Amino acid sequence: MRTSGLFFAVILMSLLCLNAVVFGADNSTCWMSSSQFPPKILDGKYPRHYRPDRTVDIEHLKIEIRINYDTQSIEGVVHFTVSPIHEDIKDIRLDSAGLTIKNVLFEKDRHLEFDTIAEEDTLILHLPEGAANMEQFTFSVYYEGSPKRYFYWRHSDDNYTTDPDMVFTLTEPIGSASWYPCLDYPSDRITTEVLMTVPKGQVTISNGELLQVTPSADGEWETHHWAQKKRLVTYLVTVIAGPYDVYKDTWRGRPVDYYCMPGQTVEDAKASMGKTPQMIEFFSRIFGVDYAYNKYAQVPVKQFPAGGMEHTSCTTMHEYIVLDERARLDRDQESLIAHELVHQWFGDLLTCESWPHLWLNEGFATYFAAVWFEETQGQDAFMRELFRSADSYLNESKTYTRPIMTNQFQSAREMFDRHSYPKAAWVLHMLRHELGDKLFYRGIRQYCQTHQDSLVDTDDFQEILEQATGRPLDRFFEKWIYGPGHPKLKVEWSWLDKKRQVELRIKQIQKKEENAPPFSFPLQVRIATDSNTTEQIVRADRYEQTFYFDVADEPRSVDVNPDLIALVELDFEKSKEMLIYEATHGQSAVTRVRAIQQLAKKDEPGVTDALLQAMMNDRSWWVQEQAANNLSGIKNNERRDALLDGCEHPDARVRSAVVSSLRSFAKDDVVQKRLQDILDKDPGLGAAEMAARGLGNSQHPDALKTLLRAIDQETYRNGIQVAVLQALNNFEDKKAYTALKRYAGKDRNENVRSAALESLGTLAAKLDEAIQEETVEFITSQAEDLSDRIREAVIRGLRELGHEDGIEVLREIADLDPNQHLRSEAENAIQKIRGKDQELAKKNAGRLDSLSDKQEDILKRLEALEKKLDEMAKKEKQ
C-alpha cells in the first residue's frame, strides 16, 4: 500500500510539472503580418491619394549645398524662382523633412515669416502683401541638417570601414525634402542649378552640365557648379560625390560617361557599359525623339539601395554595374542599362503626373529594355525577357492583384511592384499585337513627340494611341489597366480522326468579379505534324469556347500562345510523347522551355535523354539553361550522369545552371568531388558559386575544408564568399560557426555581412542553448546599422534562429524602422518565432494528452492492485 501510494504521488507530481512546462512556456498571442500591398482594393480601408495643391509655379531652383563628411551634415540654401498661379495666394507650402530652417529671404533682402510643422514635414512661408500680384518673384530658404535617409553617406566610420568618402541621393518617390526644401511631388517641372561644395579632390556628378569648379581661398574645398536647362521634377534632381575615374565615350558628339570607383578599372567600365551609345541611337529612332540632354552619365555608388535610378542625364547605379573579366563570362547588366536609359524618355522627358500613373514610367522602361534584346539578339532573347516578366508578375499575383492604375495605397512606395513593372510591360506588348507594329510605333512616337517635356497621365497615352490608330481602346484599358488580374486558361484538346480536325477547348477559370466580363484578347495556336506546321490567331473573349482546326495528320504538337502575344496563365497538360517532341523540335523557344518544365516532373523512359539533348544541343542558350535547371526535378542516377556530362558545357551560363542542379546530388561521393574541383578551377563565376552551395548540401567533412579554404576569394559581388557563407550553415561544426561570426563583423563588406548574419542564425538554431543566446546577442547588436540590407539580414538571422530572446529587437524594428518593407519582414519573423513556440506547445500538449491517458490506465491498475491487496489482507486475517 505505501509503495503503491508513493508511486501514484510520483506520477501525479510528474504530470503536474509537465503541465507547468507545456502551458507556462508561452501565453502570447500570434502576431499577424501586414501585406506589402492590399490584396483587395477597398474603399474606407486603403486611402485614396490625390495630387497636392499648388499656389505657385516653380520655374527654377538653385541649390547650394556644402557636404561635411566628418559630421555627416549639410548646410544649404535653395533659391526659388516662382510665378503665382492666381492672385489670392498668401502662403506657399513646401516639404521639408528633418531640416532646420534658419532663415527665409524674399527677393534677396526681405525676411519672410515662416512656420514649420515637424510631424507633417511641412514648411509654410507667409508671403508679403502684394507678392501674389507679381509676375514672378524669388525667395531663398537657408537650412542645415543631417539627413540619413534618401541622402546617403558612405564614410569611413564604424559602420562602413571599407567604404570611401561618398554621398549620393535616391529620392523616388519621396525623399528630396530630406536634403533640400521643395515641393516633393512630380507635379511641377523645373530647371535647376546645383552648387556642391566638397573636399578638394572629390569628383561630383549632377544633372546637366558642369559649368565650373571654384576652389576655396584656403585650397581645401571646391565648389562644383552644375546646370540642368531642360525641365525635370524634384525626385530626378541628384547629387553624387566621391573618388571616381571615368571612361569618356560619345554619342553624336555628346558626352557619354562611364564612371568607376576605387578597385574598378575604366577598361571594365567600358566593357560593361560600352553599348550605351548604340542603345541611345536605337531608342532615339523608335521613340521618334532624339535623346534630349547634353550628356549621359552612368555612375556606380557604394551600397545602393536599388538597381538603378534614372536621375535626369545621370543615372545612378549599384556598384556592380562594372563587371570584371571573369564575371562577364556568365552575366551582364545590359537589361538594367537599357531599362534606366529608356527612363530618360519615359520618366524624365515625359513624367507621370502622380504615382497612380507610375506604369507610364516603369512599364515602358521594362518593355523597351526587352525590345532592345529583340533588336540586338533576336526573337529568342526577346521571348526570354517576356517569359521572365510574366513569371515575375504571376508569382506576385498569387499574393495579391490590383489594377495597374489605382490611387488606393498606403504609401506610394507600394506602387513599385510587379504590377507597375512587368505586368505593365506586358500591357504594352499586348497593345503592340492588338494594333500591329506599324500603328503601335506610330502611336509611341506621337505620344513621345506630343508630350515631351510634360507631365502625363494614362488618359494622355490612351488618347494619343486612339488618335494615331483610329482604334477605340476603352475595353482594353478598362480590363487591363483599370481592372485587376489576368486570364487563367484551362486548355484541353482532342484529335477528331474522321474529320481530320483538332478540337481545342478553352475555359477562362480566373476568379470572376461580380458582373465582370471575360478578358478579350488574341490567342495564338500553333499545330505541328510530321509534314507541316499551321498557325492561327483566334479571339478568346468568352468564359468557355471551342475552336476547330483542319489538320491533315494527327498532331505531334499543339501549342497555345507559343510566341507570347498574350499575358495568360496556362493549365495545359500534354502527353510525354508530345512534350519530348516539343522540347527537342518546338519552333518557339517558349514552346521548348514549357515542354522542358513539364517533362522534368516525369520519371519515365526517354525523358532524361530529351532533357540532355536540349541542354547540349539547343540553338538557344536560354533553352539549354532551362534544361539544365530542370534536370534535378527527379533524383536518379540517369539524371545525375547527365548533369555530370553537362559540367563540360562550353557556355559558362549553362554550366552555372548545370552545377546548380547538381547540388541536389551533392551527397553522392562522385558529385561531391566534382563540386570541389569546380569550385577550385572553373573559370565561370556562377559555376564556382553554385559548387560552393552544393558542397554545403553535401555536409561532408572534406567539403567543409574546401569551403573554408575558398572563403577569402575576392570575386565580383563577393559571389564566392557569399556562397561559402551560405553553405556553412549546413555544418554543425564549431569551425563553421566561428567563421560565420568572423565574417558577420562590421569590418566586412555589406554583401558578406548580410550573408553571414543570416547563416549564423540558421546554424545556431541547430546548436545548444548557450550558443543560441550568444548568437541572439551578437545579431541584435547590429540591428541599428544604417544599411537596410544589414538590418534585413538581422531580421532574417533572428527569424531563422527562432529564439524568443530575439523578439524584443524584432518588435522595435517592426514598430520603428523607417523602411516599411523591413517593418513587414520583422512582423513576419515574430509570427514565425511565436508560431514555432506554439507548434512546440501543441506537440507537448499532445504528449500531455497521451500521458494523461497513461495516468488513467495506471490509476485503474492501482485501484485493482489495492483491491487485490485488501482481499489478500482479509484472507490472511481469516
Side-chain angles (χ1 to χ4, degrees), residues 271-288:
S272 302
M273 296 180 266
K275 293 181 181 178
T276 304
Q278 183 185 351
M279 290 181 181
I280 297 175
E281 186 66 35
F282 172 66
F283 292 132
S284 294
R285 174 169 57 82
I286 67 170
F287 299 152

Side-chain angles (χ1 to χ4, degrees), residues 70-132:
D70 291 341
T71 58
Q72 293 194 1
S73 64
I74 57 176
E75 304 166 68
V77 54
V78 185
H79 308 283
F80 292 79
T81 302
V82 306
S83 297
I85 290 175
H86 55 78
E87 67 279 3
D88 294 328
I89 65 169
K90 297 179 180 179
D91 302 318
I92 297 176
R93 178 201 167 279
L94 297 173
D95 298 295
S96 175
L99 300 174
T100 300
I101 307 302
K102 298 167 66 177
N103 194 14
V104 182
L105 293 182
F106 181 79
E107 290 286 295
K108 298 184 180 179
D109 57 5
R110 183 175 176 180
H111 291 281
L112 270 189
E113 296 294 325
F114 63 88
D115 292 310
T116 57
I117 308 174
E119 60 271 18
E120 297 179 8
D121 293 334
T122 297
L123 169 64
I124 299 176
L125 310 180
H126 305 296
L127 294 178
E129 190 172 342

